[in-house]
Amino acid sequence: NIIDVSAADSQGMEQHEYMDRARQYSTRLAMLSNNLTHWKKLPLLPSLTNQPHQVLASDPVPFADLQQVSR
């Protein structure tokens, strides 16, 4: 069931009709958002630095160092 808000003519609609539709839309949205189990908040990633711009601006790690670490 979809409530088509774009088709609503706001000039020809009484205020109580508008409020009823808004309440119905909010209720439906709340019901649907409660049913979404895979959209739970994920834990935040750990912060390794307080100044990420300095890390991103630094020189990249040499390829030889990456190979040594992977061995």
Side-chain angles (χ1 to χ4, degrees):
N1 294 331
I2 297 174
I3 302 171
D4 187 7
V5 293
S6 65
D9 183 15
S10 61
Q11 294 174 348
M13 189 184 296
E14 298 287 331
Q15 184 176 2
H16 66 88
E17 291 175 324
Y18 176 79
M19 295 303 290
D20 287 343
R21 284 190 187 193
R23 191 176 311 112
Q24 181 183 10
Y25 179 76
S26 296
T27 303
R28 178 59 64 103
L29 186 62
M31 283 179 14
L32 291 175
S33 65
N34 287 338
N35 292 337
L36 296 176
T37 57
H38 62 279
W39 289 104
K40 299 287 181 186
K41 272 193 169 178
L42 298 175
L44 297 176
L45 294 175
S47 176
L48 301 177
T49 180
N50 291 334
Q51 299 175 348
H53 60 281
Q54 288 183 346
V55 174
L56 294 172
S58 64
D59 293 332
V61 177
F63 185 70
D65 291 351
L66 293 175
Q67 284 182 324
Q68 184 178 3
V69 169
S70 64
R71 290 184 196 154

